[in-house]
Every structure is written in C-alpha cells, then in structure tokens.
Amino acid sequence: MPLQSSFAKPTLSLEQQIGQKLILDLRYFCQQGTAKQCRTPVTSLPDELAAAITKHNIGGVILFSENTQSIEQTINLNSQLQQAASKSSSKLPLFISIDQEGGRVARLPRDIATSFTGNMSIGATYKKHGTKYATQTATVIAKELKSLGINVNYAPTVDVNMNPDNPVINVRSFGENPALVSKLGAAQVAGYENNGVITSLKHFPGHGDTNVDSHTGLPQVNHSKEEIYQQDLAPFKHIIATQNPGMIMTAHIQYPQLDSSTFVSVDGKSMIKPATMSRTIITDILRGELNYQGVVVTDALDMAGISHFFTPTQAVINTFSAGVDLALMPIEIRTPDNLATLDKLIEELVTAVNTKQLNKTEIAQSAMRITSLKNTFKLTTNFDAFNALVDAKQIIGSQAHRKIEAELAVNAITEVKNNNAALPLKLTKGQHVHIIMPDTRKCMAMQQALEAASSASLSFSCSSLQGYKPTDAQHFIKQADVIIAGNATPNQSAVEIGGMDDLKDDPNFSLNSAQQPKALASLLSYAQSQNKKTVFISLRAPYDIAQFGNSADAVLASYAYNIDTDKNNIVAGPAFTALANVLLGSTSANGELPVTIK
C-alpha cells in the first residue's frame, strides 16, 4: 500500500487523525425530543450532521436500511455525505459503509437490490460448484453497492459455525469446516475488492462457537489454544495470506486462552478483556503472528457486549490502545444535543493522546493506514449523483443479477430425506395443500411460489405458527392431500417476523417463539397419524432437522426464506421459488449440508 494518500495533506493534525478513526451511525435524526424517542430516518443529510462531518474530519459513516429506501434517495444521501467531507480541512473522502452480507443481513431493499440467499447456501453448493457462487455473489453485491456510492461492505462473515445454538451467526457462516470457510471467504474478498468495494472480514478471532449474541451480552469462547488456531483463526490466517483484505472487524467476545487479562468495568466488576480491547489479540496475534497490516475496525460499540461495561470514551480508548484503527458507532447521534457529546468525545481522545494514555506514534500510524486504504481504492469526494443514478438503475437488481440469485437459491436446496419417493410431489387439479409456516407471510410466499410453478389448479390453506387455532389446523390437515411444513431456527428477530396479520383474528391464539416448536411438532405428529404425505423444510439453520425430520416423509433445507415485497402484495423470493421448483420436480436438489445434523 502507498504510504500516503494522494488527496491527504502530508501530515494530519492530531484532531484530524482522531476524526478519521471514527465511523458514525446516522440511522435516525430528530430536531427535537430525546435520542430514545427519535425514529426519523436520515434519508437526506441534515445540516447539523453535515457540519459535524466537516468540522471533525470524520472518517466514515455506516448506513442502515432506514437510510437506503430507494436508489435515487441513497445516491443523493451519499453525494451529500461526500460533499460534507470535501469541505473538511483534510479533504479526505468518507468510508461509506454498510452490512450487505446477503441472506439474513441485507440493508438494501430486497425488492430493489439483489440480496441472495446467504453464506450457508453458498456453502451448500461448494461440492458441486466450488467457489463459483462465492465469487459471483460478491461481484454482484459489489457492483450494486459501488453504483450507489457505498465503498465498504462489512462482509464476508468467515466465522466457522460450530455451535448449533449460535443465535447470531448460524446461516451467516459458510459452514463448520474451516477449510471450506477459508476458500469461500477468500473468493468473496476477491469478488468484492476486484470490483472496488473494501471488505471487512468478521468477526475476529471468531464468533462461530457462541451461544450468546454480542448485541445483547458478552460471549465467551473456551476453546483450547490449539482449537482456536485450527478452527476459529484458520479462515482469517488463510485469507490474510492470500487476499490481504482491506479491513478486518473485531468481535466483542472473550477468548481467555488467548488473553485472560482483565479490566474493571463501569460497575466496578473485574472482567476478561473482550477481543476488541485486547492488545494481545489485536496487536500481537492479528498484526504480529498473522501479519495483517491493514485497517482493523471494531464491531458496533453500542452493542451490549461493550456498552454495558464501559463509557463511550473508555470503550474507544480501550480499543485504540489494543491497536484497532476505526471505532464503529462510538456514540449515539440522534439529536442536535448529541453532537455536543461528539465534540466532547474527540476532546477527550485528544487529551488521552496528549497525556500519553494513548500512544501518539501509534495513532499517527493508524491514521496513515486509514488514508492509505482510501487512496488504494481511489475513494473520492467527487460523487456525481446525476450520472451515478443513470448507471445504478441499469445495475441494481438487473435481470443478469437476479438470474445468479435464482441459480444460487436452487443449487443450494438440499434433499436430506426422501422416503418412498415422496418427492417430487405429483399434484393434480383440485388437490389441497396445507402449508404450516412460522408466520402468514411465509405461508403466502410458499403458496405463491407453488401456484407459479404448478400447471394444475390447487387449493391451499395455512397454519401460521405465530397465531393459529389448533382445531382449525387439524381440520385443514384432515382435508389436505399434502402437508408442507417449514421452520426457521434460531428464533426470528423482530424485524423478520411477519407482523400483526398473524394475530388479527384472535390474539388469544398468538404463540410466542418458545411455544412454536412444540406446536409444529404436534401438527407434524397429527399429520402422521392421519397418514398424510408430509414434507418438512428447514428454512434457516438446518440443525432443526434433528428435531422435526423424523416426522416427515421428505426433508429439504433451503438455508433462507427471503421474501420480496412490492407495494401491493408479497412476492415469493428466490428461496421459496427454488423450493417450489424442487418440490414439484422441475429441478433437482443438488446441495449438500455444510454442517452436521446430530
């Protein structure tokens, strides 16, 4: 990498260096009220935020789905952001970053952009297709992001998912085999960065064997040192050596076999340092042993794994002391009053350097890594919104991109069981299909996909596991010729749940997420007792096949349940379309499980 950015001043002042090391969250902003009450999305850049970016030489921003509501709006926002950066004293362009992994984690509207079925579906295609889909998905996502003015993607996820109960990674992982994860992760880094988008491998040193979500708590991995190097660290080591990614993201996870030293938290308790704040893990292992000389970014510092234990300034100082370059979402900015907090944070960080709490030379070297990365990828504040819009409309969600999305979805479908040639389904005119799904939206998506794929006119009924009457469900099962049941585990997050439609008939029959598996098991057992042909579909992490697979004649895994929505109705996304084609026999299931089902 070049030592110095061509668009930077020869040297940055300490204040400029600190500003470059911050990535701000602009999800919501309100002129009045409190931060907790504010839910007004930033779709156009408010003057106060523009002024803060300019004043403090801010290094970057992260966009969420609230900030990316249409192609034109997103391009205009990104143009405004770079214009604000162009007025700063350093003139350095912004990292405009996003989580667009594909599959479960996609911030661009699914009906507009190509979001794919995610990493585990790519892992399922590896035996037959190698790294083809890892390369193609990253290439497509990179082209779509770059056309919008987004230059950093927090992807790929190269955590090795070894824990069936992992609540946050699961299908975001390519699988449980470190060698497979290494190859597919390397292919994605090349696909992104060869198309002008900086990657951020995550979550170092590995989030694959946790049963706590670091958004809500502080996980601990108790692997031996040998296990950590063979499993958790292996993909990072391989990809650093072969692809040298632009960024690596840290994990808010304790790894006592790597670093058992402790901090005292804000409530006075002694605790093991999370990786994000461990100099042993970030500087000695990542930079020293693995020889990574690129930019290191924290996972979001507002996550409970950090924010419950440290003040914002403490958190940033601790991460910078560990050797991290970029602090992601260090403070909440929701109102004009919060901008005074940003002023104070930067003052306190400057003081920390001047009082030698932070090493002045290391801060300068860190700022140089950041400006070098911006220079290497030719980032610029000159983002022409008019010309970008013309190009983006041709690129985003194009027919060619949707074709790759559909091909991945269908090639990932895995047939785990097919007793007595239950598949393909031979449905004839007038037959009744009863669909059991986690919520009404998924019932509708499955029905739409089957109707589109079948030449016969069929009748359908639905049982939503989010809200249903057992007697009605049994009535429909009795009437049905075929039962198709789907399950999504781990539990869906709030944003994935179908909504209030499931509860509108009778709230007394709403089921919480803990009750839903029991209800599904009961319905599958009832279908068996009625000798009904039954297909079980694992819609997310396929570990649930161990629980439900014995109660079905056939079992499929799709690793995704993407649903595209238009203004009028649900549109069955690529996963449901692929499932319908496999169920009806117009294509075969060629995927292979990338994780072990016990």
Side-chain angles (χ1 to χ4, degrees), residues 242-452:
T242 58
Q243 291 297 332
N244 191 28
M247 291 187 191
I248 289 179
M249 177 179 280
T250 67
H252 305 327
I253 299 176
Q254 296 167 328
Y255 265 82
Q257 293 304 312
L258 295 181
D259 186 0
S260 60
S261 60
T262 58
F263 275 136
V264 177
S265 66
V266 286
D267 57 6
K269 292 179 182 175
S270 179
M271 55 177 283
I272 294 172
K273 292 178 183 175
T276 297
M277 298 180 173
S278 165
R279 191 171 178 89
T280 299
I281 292 172
I282 302 303
T283 296
D284 298 349
I285 295 175
L286 178 57
R287 295 214 187 277
E289 292 181 33
L290 303 188
N291 195 32
Y292 181 66
Q293 304 307 316
V295 170
V296 179
V297 58
T298 70
D299 206 341
L301 291 176
D302 69 342
M303 290 160 60
I306 296 296
S307 62
H308 281 185
F309 304 101
F310 304 95
T311 68
T313 299
Q314 283 176 337
V316 176
I317 289 173
N318 289 338
T319 61
F320 288 173
S321 295
V324 172
D325 297 301
L326 292 167
L328 176 61
M329 300 167 61
I331 59 168
E332 186 174 62
I333 298 177
R334 296 288 180 262
T335 69
D337 289 346
N338 296 146
L339 295 173
T341 308
L342 177 63
D343 294 341
K344 185 181 177 188
L345 171 67
I346 291 172
E347 285 175 19
E348 290 173 341
L349 293 173
V350 168
T351 299
V353 176
N354 289 331
T355 58
K356 299 185 178 179
Q357 195 176 352
L358 287 170
N359 184 294
K360 191 171 188 176
T361 302
E362 289 186 357
I363 295 296
Q365 290 170 339
S366 176
M368 189 65 75
R369 280 193 290 270
I370 292 163
T371 56
S372 293
L373 182 60
K374 290 181 175 183
N375 189 56
T376 298
F377 278 83
K378 298 181 170 61
L379 303 195
T380 176
T381 56
N382 298 321
F383 184 54
D384 182 344
F386 179 79
N387 287 327
L389 181 61
V390 174
D391 292 340
K393 285 185 172 177
Q394 298 297 314
I395 293 168
I396 296 176
S398 68
Q399 194 172 353
H401 289 181
R402 292 294 190 185
K403 183 172 182 284
I404 297 168
E405 182 181 47
E407 287 174 358
L408 168 61
V410 79
N411 281 304
I413 302 294
T414 303
E415 183 182 280
V416 181
K417 175 182 176 182
N418 190 14
N419 287 357
N420 303 318
L423 294 178
L425 300 175
K426 298 174 179 67
L427 298 174
T428 56
K429 183 179 178 180
Q431 284 196 300
H432 179 185
V433 179
H434 184 62
I435 301 170
I436 305 168
M437 285 283 157
D439 55 65
T440 302
R441 278 165 50 97
K442 294 177 185 59
C443 273
M444 292 174 68
M446 189 76 258
Q447 179 177 330
Q448 284 185 352
L450 288 167
E451 286 174 331

Side-chain angles (χ1 to χ4, degrees), residues 164-187:
D165 296 322
N166 195 321
V168 67
I169 302 301
N170 55 81
V171 290
R172 295 167 65 194
S173 168
F174 294 110
E176 67 186 12
N177 182 323
L180 174 115
V181 172
S182 298
K183 290 171 188 172
L184 294 175

Side-chain angles (χ1 to χ4, degrees), residues 556-573:
L556 298 175
S558 66
Y559 314 99
Y561 49 79
N562 299 29
I563 298 173
D564 299 336
T565 56
D566 60 21
K567 289 177 182 175
N568 302 311
N569 207 341
I570 289 170
V571 180

